């Protein structure tokens, strides 16, 4: 079959080692193949002179037509040159490898009236913390000339918490250099991201595993941090803080104890 496709100009046939991607697919914990099949495939993929096939431009075009007919995403470089900023960054973050993201972003910026500030505003307006983080990351990674972009945005009132998180993860910012308020804002960013990804139950479970006192009091401090995501903080209050408050008021413990601050809360309730 591949020889016929090669004769038609749809694939290019070579020989060599398999791409590591194929072996990594065999390492998944949720592997559906039986162990003996996995080992046979692993042995076969270790051969240094395997027959390899790569799509030619003609083959890529044929595959793209098939994907589009099935309702799948199959973008071409340049198709996003007039896309809205949020759509551009979202698609680049989800579907484009780094080198293609750079090319697509530069095409977008080359058009009149489309500049970096419009892209940053799209990140500011994004209502989802994890998506906003991905959009900002692809923007910073795709603009080598803007390598100081994140540092320049450290004091942005909306993007600051996302920026600090990414700089610390990249080892370009020491956590100790942040003020107490900045640490609270970054904690709020982390909580809101976990709330999106794991839901309220996942965040509550994570909070209960944390040491250092009553988790409900920590959440109260996060709610008072002034994080710009007002909707997210409201959801954090309703879905996480309220259940934690109820747990703190009625603790289930083998040894009768009173959580820190509970006495003061009961007095306040009586008044």
């Amino acid at each position: 079959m591949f020889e016929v496709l090669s004769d038609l100009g749809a694939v290019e046939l070579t020989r060599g080692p398999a791409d590591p991607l194929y072996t990594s697919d065999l390492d998944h914990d949720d592997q559906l193949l039986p162990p003996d099949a996995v080992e046979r495939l692993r042995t076969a993929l270790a051969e240094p002179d395997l027959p390899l096939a790569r799509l030619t431009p003609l083959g890529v075009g044929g595959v793209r037509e098939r994907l589009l007919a099935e309702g799948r995403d199959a973008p071409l470089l340049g198709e996003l040159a007039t896309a809205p900023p949020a759509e551009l960054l979202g698609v680049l973050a989800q579907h484009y490898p780094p080198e293609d993201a750079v090319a697509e972003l530069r095409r977008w910026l080359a058009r009149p009236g489309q500049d970096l500030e419009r892209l940053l505003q799209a990140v500011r307006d994004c209502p989802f913390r994890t998506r906003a983080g991905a959009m900002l990351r692809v923007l910073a990674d795709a603009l080598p000339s803007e390598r100081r972009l994140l540092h320049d945005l450290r004091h942005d009132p909306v993007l600051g918490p996302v920026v600090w998180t990414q700089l610390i993860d990249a080892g370009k910012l020491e956590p100790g250099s942040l003020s107490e308020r900045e640490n609270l804002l970054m904690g709020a960013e982390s909580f809101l991201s976990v709330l999106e990804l794991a839901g309220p139950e996942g965040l509550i479970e994570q909070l209960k595993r944390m040491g250092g006192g009553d988790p409900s009091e920590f959440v109260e401090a996060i709610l008072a941090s002034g994080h710009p995501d007002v909707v997210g903080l409201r959801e954090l209050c309703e879905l996480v803080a309220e259940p934690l408050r109820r747990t703190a008021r009625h603790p289930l413990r083998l040894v009768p104890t009173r959580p820190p601050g509970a006495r003061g809360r009961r007095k306040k309730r009586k008044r």
Side-chain angles (χ1 to χ4, degrees), residues 80 86-97 101 130-139:
L80 298 175
E87 179 183 338
L88 170 74
L89 293 178
V91 173
L92 294 184
Q94 288 184 284
H95 301 294
Y96 277 61
T130 51
R131 185 174 178 85
M135 291 165 65
L136 183 62
R137 187 177 298 109
V138 75
L139 181 57

Side-chain angles (χ1 to χ4, degrees), residues 64-137:
R64 181 173 183 272
E65 289 181 4
R66 180 65 179 270
L67 291 173
L68 292 175
E70 294 178 357
R72 305 284 295 277
D73 287 327
L76 286 177
L77 285 177
E79 282 191 339
L80 298 175
T82 58
E87 179 183 338
L88 170 74
L89 293 178
V91 173
L92 294 184
Q94 288 184 284
H95 301 294
Y96 277 61
E99 62 275 11
D100 290 340
V102 171
E104 192 70 79
L105 187 58
R106 292 195 179 281
R107 281 186 172 93
W108 192 93
L109 289 170
R111 296 184 69 88
Q114 298 182 170
D115 55 20
L116 178 60
E117 182 54 36
R118 287 190 62 191
L119 296 172
L120 291 174
Q121 190 58 47
V123 182
R124 294 186 187 100
D125 295 339
C126 180
F128 303 105
R129 308 318 308 157
T130 51
R131 185 174 178 85
M135 291 165 65
L136 183 62
R137 187 177 298 109

